[in-house]
Amino acid sequence: MLTHKLKNNIQIKIFYLLLKHLLILGVFSLSVYDLYQVDSITLLSTNADIIQLPVLSMDLSSNLSNIWGWRLPDAPYYFPDTILFLLIAFLLNNPLLSIICYAIIQWYLFFIGLRFLYKELGGKNIGIYDCIFLLFTLFFINLHPTRFGKLHDISWIFTIPFLSYIHFGAYLVSIFCLASTLSYLRTSQEKQLLLSSILIFFTSLSNLQIIIYFVLPFLFAITILTKLKLVKFKDCKKTYIAFSIPCIFGTIFYKFIDPLSSKTSLPFKWSNIVYSLNRVFEDIISINPESKFFLFVNLIIPTIAFIYLLSFLIKYYIKNYKFSQTQNNIFLLSIFTISGIVLNFSSVMILGKYIDIGSLRYFLFIFYNPLIFSILLSLVYLSKLKYQWLKQIQYLTLIIFSLNIVLQISLLEIKSITQVFPPPVYYGCLANKTTAGLAGYWETKPLILFSQKNLQIGTITDFGNLYHFNNNIYWYQNSWHESGSQPKFEFIFTRSLNKDKILEKYGQPERIESCHDDEIWWYSDYENIYNILLNKNF
């Protein structure tokens, strides 16, 4: 009788757990889809870099062996970005719809990772976290800067969780690694450390940002706590081994995975540091008032709060205060955050990666961790207060959550996927044509994606040379339309190219067709175009 009752209770708990997560996925789905109605984020999501995975999935679905022709960027994003997106694209068989589904699942995984971290920091009532995160999602989506029709100079960085191929995958993994390693320090269960080690290895194979976002700041933090005798030496030693081995092997394989990558070296130059620092200060001075306020609220205040928290904990340590494991974790998190900010900023400056506002994608640790961890620690503190009104907050949140779903369903304008992702204006000049041609980097992938591979476009540099970066060399060797023959490159779309250099290299076109403010140059001697393009390139 008791066993049967216990079994029923377990089934009821599982049912409510599944129901809650389905509801959470529901609000994420509706909110993200609603966000994609805004022109600003749609423009970002059809950027040539960001639509790399939809084009890759389309290419592999037509012929899996095409993978060997790809020359991917310095950070090829194999794990988790590419694997996750290809799985979604395989199930949906629609590259454009996959962009939205990827955004939903990535945001949901972000929710799960922070939920895991919340528990490791000592959060008592998981229901409070779930409800507050839902409110945070609704607030974030509905008051997102894209709602104002134009992204602020800086606030575009908060669109990144809804986009693919832009370093958020490595940041997402860092959240899971942090939670898993804190769990190991609390429970001494080595499987948690093994999980972190595996995640670090697979992520470092394709994006070394994981070393900046997690490995180095965490090792620094745990070293400090070990020196203070707040962490056992054996735990520190195991952590070093568990992190160092996957980093070393991941970095080695990262450099030698071929032919899938197009690695480029970045030599150390003092001029890179000076240039990047100058650009940062120039941008801070020149950004609009909204961005300065945004920078102050979302970055400066949380960072100051962590510095204060760290000084507070140090003062307690000096007074020989006995820390609990949860307080140890908070101490470690504070050192991790402050050191990570310094490391993230200095690494971008040393490599000379900061060029303009778009380079903020390298500063995910700086912009996300202080804000997110401040919210998490506030929730941990809130969860320990034994007030009846806390339960009322949960019920109120669920009501708001449910009403928001009803409201969004009633107000949501159901658009087709092509309305959500309108093709670029220049696509109309080549729509409904089955042909091959050449174009600049920023035009190639949108033309391929929106033509569903009817247009075979080869990417060329400004000067008309074959483009070796983030590109597939098979596209220049095999025709998509005539099996066993070479592609017939009949036109060159000059939108982002140097026309004088193109004219010098390929000669006078037989016909020039206007395309809005751009031109399409048509050639009948495609054999000549083919030979000029591939001369000395293979």
Side-chain angles (χ1 to χ4, degrees):
M1 183 73 178
L2 186 61
T3 305
H4 181 70
K5 191 174 181 179
L6 183 62
K7 187 177 179 181
N8 284 340
N9 286 338
I10 292 172
Q11 289 175 343
I12 291 170
K13 284 183 178 180
I14 292 173
F15 172 77
Y16 279 114
L17 182 65
L18 289 173
L19 181 62
K20 183 168 74 170
H21 281 268
L22 284 173
L23 286 171
I24 290 168
L25 269 174
V27 76
F28 290 169
S29 302
L30 286 168
S31 299
V32 171
Y33 186 79
D34 192 31
L35 179 64
Y36 266 89
Q37 312 300 309
V38 183
D39 290 341
S40 300
I41 196 167
T42 302
L43 288 172
L44 277 174
S45 64
T46 51
N47 171 285
D49 284 337
I50 296 169
I51 63 172
Q52 163 67 19
L53 289 180
V55 172
L56 176 65
S57 68
M58 185 187 297
D59 193 36
L60 297 185
S61 66
S62 62
N63 189 343
L64 190 59
S65 65
N66 283 343
I67 192 171
W68 303 112
W70 275 96
R71 295 293 180 266
L72 297 175
D74 294 344
Y77 304 95
Y78 302 131
F79 179 84
D81 313 65
T82 302
I83 292 174
L84 180 59
F85 193 97
L86 291 181
L87 179 61
I88 294 169
F90 173 77
L91 294 173
L92 297 179
N93 196 29
N94 186 321
L96 293 175
L97 184 58
S98 298
I99 294 173
I100 296 180
C101 290
Y102 181 90
I104 293 166
I105 292 174
Q106 186 164 252
W107 188 251
Y108 178 70
L109 290 173
F110 187 45
F111 159 77
I112 295 295
L114 291 178
R115 196 176 193 261
F116 184 14
L117 184 57
Y118 168 80
K119 291 173 71 176
E120 290 307 318
L121 292 173
K124 295 293 184 183
N125 190 337
I126 200 67
I128 289 178
Y129 166 79
D130 290 342
C131 294
I132 296 298
F133 193 92
L134 287 175
L135 280 177
F136 170 73
T137 300
L138 301 182
F139 176 81
F140 180 86
I141 295 290
N142 290 310
L143 294 181
H144 197 275
T146 55
R147 291 289 178 199
F148 303 108
K150 183 180 179 182
L151 291 167
H152 297 162
D153 291 341
I154 289 179
S155 57
W156 83 271
I157 197 171
F158 282 96
T159 63
I160 289 178
F162 306 103
L163 303 170
S164 64
Y165 222 67
I166 199 163
H167 295 294
F168 190 78
Y171 178 78
L172 185 62
V173 171
S174 75
I175 296 294
F176 280 93
C177 287
L178 179 58
S180 183
T181 310
L182 289 179
S183 177
Y184 162 71
L185 294 176
R186 179 177 59 83
T187 62
S188 297
Q189 292 184 0
E190 293 182 354
K191 63 180 181 182
Q192 301 290 354
L193 197 58
L194 178 62
L195 174 62
S196 297
S197 185
I198 292 170
L199 290 174
I200 290 168
F201 173 72
F202 282 108
T203 308
S204 63
L205 278 175
S206 60
N207 195 339
L208 296 179
Q209 289 278 36
I210 187 66
I211 298 175
I212 304 297
Y213 290 159
F214 174 68
V215 175
L216 291 180
F218 192 90
L219 289 180
F220 176 78
I222 199 172
T223 301
I224 296 296
L225 262 67
T226 303
K227 291 287 185 182
L228 297 176
K229 297 183 179 179
L230 296 175
V231 171
K232 295 176 183 176
F233 177 76
K234 69 171 185 177
D235 289 336
C236 180
K237 181 180 177 182
K238 287 180 180 178
T239 304
Y240 262 86
I241 294 170
F243 290 1
S244 300
I245 292 174
C247 279
I248 292 169
F249 281 98
T251 304
I252 291 171
F253 289 133
Y254 171 85
K255 288 184 176 180
F256 292 102
I257 288 179
D258 189 72
L260 297 181
S261 57
S262 56
K263 303 289 185 295
T264 57
S265 59
L266 287 168
F268 173 79
K269 293 181 181 178
W270 282 107
S271 58
N272 288 343
I273 302 175
V274 174
Y275 175 79
S276 292
L277 284 171
N278 284 336
R279 292 296 299 125
V280 168
F281 289 121
E282 285 172 9
D283 285 341
I284 289 174
I285 292 169
S286 63
I287 58 176
N288 58 42
E290 297 124 316
S291 290
K292 287 177 180 174
F293 178 76
F294 178 90
L295 187 68
F296 181 73
V297 171
N298 290 280
L299 177 59
I300 306 300
I301 291 178
T303 302
I304 291 173
F306 262 99
I307 292 172
Y308 174 77
L309 176 62
L310 186 58
S311 64
F312 185 78
L313 291 168
I314 291 171
K315 184 173 72 174
Y316 266 71
Y317 175 78
I318 293 171
K319 292 182 178 180
N320 294 319
Y321 179 82
K322 187 173 177 61
F323 286 90
S324 65
Q325 184 58 54
T326 298
Q327 290 167 325
N328 272 2
N329 285 348
I330 294 173
F331 201 167
L332 188 148
L333 188 70
S334 302
I335 300 172
F336 172 81
T337 303
I338 301 302
S339 60
I341 289 171
V342 174
L343 183 62
N344 191 186
F345 183 80
S346 59
S347 64
V348 174
M349 295 302 104
I350 290 170
L351 293 174
K353 283 284 191 177
Y354 191 89
I355 300 171
D356 53 30
I357 291 294
S359 303
L360 290 176
R361 65 187 184 275
Y362 300 118
F363 289 131
L364 295 188
F365 189 105
I366 291 175
F367 277 92
Y368 284 21
N369 280 24
L371 177 63
I372 291 168
F373 292 170
S374 296
I375 294 171
L376 276 184
L377 291 178
S378 299
L379 288 178
V380 169
Y381 175 76
L382 187 65
S383 72
K384 294 180 179 180
L385 297 178
K386 297 181 179 179
Y387 293 127
Q388 189 63 30
W389 58 267
L390 287 177
K391 290 185 179 180
Q392 307 308 321
I393 285 180
Q394 295 181 57
Y395 297 133
L396 179 63
T397 306
L398 288 174
I399 291 171
I400 294 172
F401 168 46
S402 302
L403 288 174
N404 182 77
I405 288 182
V406 173
L407 183 64
Q408 287 198 59
I409 290 173
S410 63
L411 296 178
L412 192 62
E413 181 184 350
I414 304 300
K415 295 181 179 180
S416 68
I417 197 67
T418 52
Q419 288 175 310
V420 175
F421 297 104
V425 291
Y426 55 80
Y427 171 69
C429 304
L430 293 165
N432 304 318
K433 293 183 180 179
T434 303
T435 183
L438 304 174
Y441 177 77
W442 298 107
E443 293 78 42
T444 298
K445 290 186 179 68
L447 287 171
I448 292 173
L449 179 65
F450 287 101
S451 71
Q452 297 289 302
K453 286 193 75 176
N454 283 328
L455 290 172
Q456 180 171 357
I457 312 295
T459 310
I460 55 177
T461 66
D462 295 354
F463 299 145
N465 299 321
L466 187 146
Y467 201 95
H468 287 280
F469 176 80
N470 213 6
N471 198 6
N472 192 330
I473 60 172
Y474 288 180
W475 294 352
Y476 304 87
Q477 297 173 320
N478 307 309
S479 173
W480 294 351
H481 311 117
E482 299 178 23
S483 179
S485 63
Q486 68 188 37
K488 298 176 180 179
F489 294 122
E490 298 179 286
F491 69 86
I492 299 177
F493 184 35
T494 62
R495 178 181 173 87
S496 60
L497 304 177
N498 185 318
K499 292 182 182 179
D500 292 335
K501 293 295 182 181
I502 298 298
L503 190 63
E504 180 183 325
K505 189 176 183 71
Y506 294 100
Q508 187 70 35
E510 294 184 4
R511 176 167 59 93
I512 296 178
E513 181 180 314
S514 294
C515 179
H516 301 281
D517 295 329
D518 306 304
E519 292 178 346
I520 302 173
W521 293 3
W522 291 90
Y523 296 83
S524 61
D525 191 357
Y526 47 79
E527 187 75 30
N528 182 53
I529 297 292
Y530 183 86
N531 290 333
I532 292 172
L533 175 66
L534 299 188
N535 183 36
K536 298 180 182 179
N537 279 299
F538 289 100

